[in-house]
Amino acid sequence: METIGPGTGTGTGTGDPLDAGPSAVVQRRRLALSGVRGHVAKGRDFTRQALQDWGWDGTKTSEDALLLVSELLTNASLHAGGCIELVVCAGEVLRVEVFDGSTTPPRRDPSPQRGLPGGHGLYIVQRLSDRWGAQVHEHGKAVWAEIEASRLTSGRPAGR
């Protein structure tokens, strides 16, 4: 298993944190997406409900979290052969993980064209999250992003 990008990795194919550091999980929700039509909308609705249940809704940062979900799901669909599963975890951070069947690491477009669609997804993920990365496992990878819980409760924007 190989960790790509900054931050901590996840357990083999499970999404479980490897350590009990700041990413310690209190609650985890999973949504199977393999073969699901309208997976981006379903993933956003699923995450919106989780944010509401956890008391993390109604702020600009919670809207940022929904945009992160959209970007990660869209990237998996366009560049990794589709989404297998969405996992959202609550603890000291909100962790969003999108599992796909490709072991090819995500890479940012080195020079996306301003004003033109495409090539901006991972830049958006980087700007809105506190940490992001990817974890390659035997059957593909998980691309993940984290937002500090304190930002979700305060609505404070990313410090970038």
Side-chain angles (χ1 to χ4, degrees):
M1 200 168 43
E2 174 187 2
T3 299
I4 302 161
T8 60
T10 57
T12 307
T14 66
D16 295 325
L18 291 174
D19 61 22
S23 296
V25 172
V26 175
Q27 292 191 38
R28 171 179 290 118
R29 294 188 184 183
R30 298 172 178 270
L31 177 64
L33 291 169
S34 185
V36 172
R37 294 173 59 97
H39 61 276
V40 174
K42 285 181 178 25
R44 283 179 64 92
D45 290 344
F46 176 80
T47 304
R48 182 179 289 111
Q49 185 61 56
L51 292 171
Q52 288 173 352
D53 293 347
W54 296 332
W56 287 347
D57 62 324
T59 66
K60 288 182 180 182
T61 306
S62 64
E63 291 299 317
D64 290 349
L66 296 176
L67 180 55
L68 279 173
V69 168
S70 296
E71 290 297 333
L72 292 175
L73 291 172
T74 299
N75 284 350
S77 180
L78 293 175
H79 306 296
C83 309
I84 295 172
E85 183 176 44
L86 168 65
V87 177
V88 291
C89 305
E92 293 180 27
V93 300
L94 169 68
R95 183 175 176 105
V96 175
E97 297 175 303
V98 173
F99 289 80
D100 62 53
S102 170
T103 57
T104 303
R107 68 174 188 82
R108 292 186 317 187
D109 186 328
S111 56
Q113 301 296 312
R114 289 187 68 129
L116 294 177
H120 302 279
L122 291 178
Y123 284 100
I124 293 169
V125 169
Q126 181 178 5
R127 293 281 303 198
L128 297 179
S129 67
D130 292 306
R131 285 167 298 285
W132 76 277
Q135 182 76 35
V136 174
H137 55 83
E138 183 178 343
H139 303 289
K141 70 178 172 301
V143 181
W144 56 268
E146 293 180 338
I147 297 176
E148 297 290 333
S150 61
R151 286 187 44 223
L152 287 158
T153 55
S154 71
R156 190 174 75 246
R160 299 181 199 276

